[in-house]
Amino acid sequence: MTHPFYDLRDLTVTDADAGAVFSAAPSGRMVKGYAAPCAYTPAPDPGYLFHEASRDIIVWFMNTSDPLYVFGPTGSGKTSAIKQLASRLNYPVFEITGHGRLEFPDLVGHLSLRQDNMEFQYGPLALAMKHGGLFLLNEIDLLDPATAAGLNGILDGEPLCIPENGGELITPSPMFRFAATGNTNGGSDETGLYQGTLRQNLAFLDRFWLCEMGYPAPEAEERLLESCAPILPEAIRKKMVEFANEVRRLFMGEAGAGYGSSIEVTFSTRTLIRWADLMVRFHPLARQGVQPVSYALDRALGYRATRETRAVLHELVQRIFPMSIGS
């Protein structure tokens, strides 16, 4: 049986034109990547629409100086943007999700019994440093600040010492990249909606290059809905994006939304896609007098909200969708 990590040793660094890789238009500016993908390279999505904040991530890939921290509201596409850009460069990605009980050995690795022998199993951080991959730490603002601060040396480019493996010293590959995502910027959660996030150590945060990622522009989400639910009429798709943005304004408590206080749920891009998919599936219910728009909405988002918020969502449906999709 082939060891799952062997192909990492065969990675070949190559230079590519950044414009040709990311936009199919040569730019003359070069970016380093790998000649071929490996088992840890994310699968490219041909229909993926890059967010405007992807510009920052592309520049980071081209001229890495500091680790990258991408923050923004839930479902805005932070992780997918990093992984899809990495896939264009055939970069292996070693991903882990942060939580309050995550400890440093979870990132580095541990000793385990293999065929009656103790063997060190490398964790995602050690693998990325050793083989020149991208270490992706999602939900970094859920980490205990003391654990996060233990990464300071790595963020500064220092070698990783593994005492459990005989004091092995891993000097980071020149291709090693460190990226993190979070719903907050690590300072605090001003909305109170991202439970469990913690204020991180200032010295730790000072080591990152920050990139804020909001929700995509309406035109981008309309194109996305066209690609994933072309059966829906264009007018309906436009109304769906309008509805999603109105819910986002309510979530943020923006006065212009016209409904008073804020609500506790929001419309991520993935929820928008789920809503479109369910709307198509439940479309036959229109012949039975059921409104597919609100029926699908409940199953995509509404049932996650309080009764009061669900009533607001249904009122918003009646305002934005005055006509049934089935009529």
Side-chain angles (χ1 to χ4, degrees), residues 245-263 316 319:
N245 281 311
E246 192 74 5
V247 170
R248 291 162 184 165
R249 285 190 284 272
L250 282 167
F251 174 74
M252 297 303 294
E254 296 181 0
Y259 282 89
S261 61
S262 63
I263 60 176
L316 194 58
R319 178 163 70 85

Side-chain angles (χ1 to χ4, degrees), residues 13-322:
V13 178
T14 185
D15 289 309
D17 185 287
V21 170
F22 298 118
S23 65
S27 64
R29 301 186 64 187
M30 306 306 290
V31 59
K32 289 189 179 297
Y34 291 102
C38 71
Y40 294 92
T41 303
D45 179 359
Y48 182 78
L49 298 174
F50 286 110
H51 192 284
E52 60 181 16
S54 296
R55 291 191 302 264
D56 292 3
I57 304 174
I58 292 170
V59 171
W60 174 75
F61 264 115
M62 293 169 60
N63 302 289
T64 302
S65 56
D66 294 313
L68 178 70
Y69 186 162
V70 182
F71 69 96
T74 179
S76 57
K78 302 178 291 294
T79 298
S80 57
I82 293 172
K83 292 173 70 173
Q84 283 302 306
L85 289 168
S87 74
R88 293 339 192 243
L89 296 171
N90 293 321
Y91 242 97
V93 175
F94 301 92
E95 184 177 7
I96 193 168
T97 299
H99 54 82
R101 293 188 298 276
L102 187 72
E103 297 181 350
F104 202 68
D106 297 322
L107 308 178
V108 176
H110 60 274
L111 287 168
S112 64
L113 187 64
R114 180 183 176 87
Q115 297 178 347
D116 298 326
N117 293 311
M118 294 302 293
E119 181 178 298
F120 189 80
Q121 299 292 324
Y122 292 102
L125 176 61
L127 285 170
M129 294 181 68
K130 189 180 185 74
H131 297 286
L134 188 154
F135 174 65
L136 178 55
L137 178 54
N138 289 311
E139 313 295 353
I140 192 173
D141 46 3
L142 293 178
L143 282 183
D144 182 293
T147 299
L151 291 166
N152 284 354
I154 303 301
L155 300 179
D156 289 338
E158 296 176 4
L160 171 65
C161 181
I162 309 179
E164 297 84 353
N165 200 29
E168 179 184 6
L169 197 66
I170 299 179
T171 300
S173 163
M175 295 292 284
F176 169 60
R177 301 289 184 267
F178 189 118
T181 68
N183 292 129
T184 74
N185 64 0
S188 62
D189 173 23
E190 298 175 351
T191 67
L193 293 165
Y194 298 113
Q195 296 298 312
T197 56
L198 299 170
R199 186 181 183 89
Q200 297 297 316
N201 183 285
L202 182 61
F204 171 70
L205 294 175
D206 188 55
R207 289 167 162 83
F208 285 94
W209 172 350
L210 295 177
C211 172
E212 183 174 14
M213 181 173 287
Y215 291 113
E219 297 77 13
E221 289 192 318
E222 287 169 15
R223 292 196 301 272
L224 183 61
L225 287 183
E226 182 180 11
S227 66
C228 67
I231 192 173
L232 292 176
E234 180 182 359
I236 291 294
R237 297 195 301 264
K238 286 181 175 292
K239 290 291 186 182
M240 291 174 68
V241 173
E242 179 185 344
F243 181 93
N245 281 311
E246 192 74 5
V247 170
R248 291 162 184 165
R249 285 190 284 272
L250 282 167
F251 174 74
M252 297 303 294
E254 296 181 0
Y259 282 89
S261 61
S262 63
I263 60 176
E264 78 282 359
V265 295
T266 188
F267 232 102
S268 67
T269 299
R270 60 173 167 256
T271 300
L272 182 61
I273 295 172
R274 182 187 307 130
W275 186 25
D277 175 63
L278 291 174
M279 204 182 297
V280 171
R281 296 186 187 206
F282 292 127
H283 181 259
L285 294 180
R287 293 192 293 269
Q288 303 174 24
V290 176
Q291 166 61 282
V293 172
S294 54
Y295 193 87
L297 175 65
D298 278 342
R299 283 142 185 85
L301 178 69
Y303 285 149
R304 197 184 310 150
T306 63
R307 290 184 180 274
E308 293 77 10
T309 294
R310 189 176 163 217
V312 169
L313 296 177
H314 280 256
E315 181 182 344
L316 194 58
V317 164
Q318 295 304 315
R319 178 163 70 85
I320 294 181
F321 297 87

